[in-house]
């Protein structure tokens, strides 16, 4: 590094920064999560996959109390099918778009009780990570009010 001129170091760093996926603005995040939920509601797997990064990862937390995937789900295709499959087994769920960790997420309720909270990471107009919390212990604060 010390043998390279400053201009060359700067150029390399700038090139790396351009290749790094850009974090979504709050408006972009909201738009993409809204489209994600719309695709889930209609069961449109192609629309859902178009919103997901090819390397998207889904992690779910049931805390050993709620049945869910034991391992990370990797890839747009597997994530889309996992989400649609999980939702098809819960037809009575009511979903609302709400702030989750300061960004738009999904809150899923069954008989007015929060049964899942879903948060997302969006980079470069694609969902890169989906986190599904089903663990009742972690949902207590959502059901407290």
């Amino acid at each position: 590094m010390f043998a390279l001129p400053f201009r060359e170091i700067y150029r390399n760093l700038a090139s790396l920064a351009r290749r790094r996926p850009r974090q979504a603005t709050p408006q972009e995040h909201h738009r993409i999560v809204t489209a994600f939920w719309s695709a889930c509601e209609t069961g449109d797997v192609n629309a859902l996959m178009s919103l997901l990064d090819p390397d998207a990862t889904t992690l779910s937390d049931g805390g050993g109390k709620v049945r869910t995937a034991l391992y990370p789900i990797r890839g747009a295709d597997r994530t889309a099918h996992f989400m649609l499959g999980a939702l098809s087994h819960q037809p009575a769920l009511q979903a609302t778009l709400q702030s989750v960790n300061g960004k738009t997420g999904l809150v899923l309720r069954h008989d007015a009780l929060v049964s899942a909270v879903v948060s997302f990471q969006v980079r470069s107009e694609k969902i890169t990570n989906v986190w599904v919390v089903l663990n009742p212990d972690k949902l207590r604060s959502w059901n407290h009010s």
Side-chain angles (χ1 to χ4, degrees):
M1 175 169 120
F2 295 107
L4 295 174
F6 179 75
R7 178 172 280 182
E8 182 69 20
I9 293 170
Y10 179 80
R11 192 168 53 90
N12 288 337
L13 289 174
S15 175
L16 282 173
R18 283 190 299 273
R19 283 185 268 165
R20 180 176 294 156
R22 181 183 57 78
Q23 189 78 355
T25 65
Q27 296 81 8
E28 289 169 331
H29 186 96
H30 178 80
R31 179 178 52 78
I32 298 219
V33 170
T34 300
F36 178 91
W37 177 244
S38 178
C40 285
E41 282 185 304
T42 61
D44 188 343
V45 71
N46 291 324
L48 199 53
M49 285 181 19
S50 75
L51 297 165
L52 293 162
D53 183 86
D55 297 321
T57 300
T58 299
L59 297 171
S60 52
D61 175 5
K65 298 178 180 190
V66 176
R67 190 171 171 218
T68 189
L70 297 175
Y71 301 101
I73 296 159
R74 299 188 193 284
D77 183 54
R78 294 183 74 203
T79 292
H81 284 93
F82 170 77
M83 293 301 292
L84 291 177
L87 292 168
S88 71
H89 289 77
Q90 302 291 327
L93 282 178
Q94 299 292 318
T96 55
L97 294 168
Q98 287 185 236
S99 178
V100 176
N101 298 325
K103 296 181 180 178
T104 302
L106 292 170
V107 177
L108 304 169
R109 291 178 173 79
H110 185 268
D111 292 333
L113 188 68
V114 173
S115 57
V117 173
V118 186
S119 58
F120 302 86
Q121 180 177 48
V122 178
R123 291 181 181 258
S124 299
E125 304 263 336
K126 298 285 185 184
I127 295 170
T128 57
N129 290 291
V130 180
W131 296 280
V132 183
V133 176
L134 299 151
N135 183 340
D137 296 333
K138 293 182 178 178
L139 296 174
R140 277 194 191 125
S141 63
W142 286 90
N143 287 309
H144 195 45
S145 53

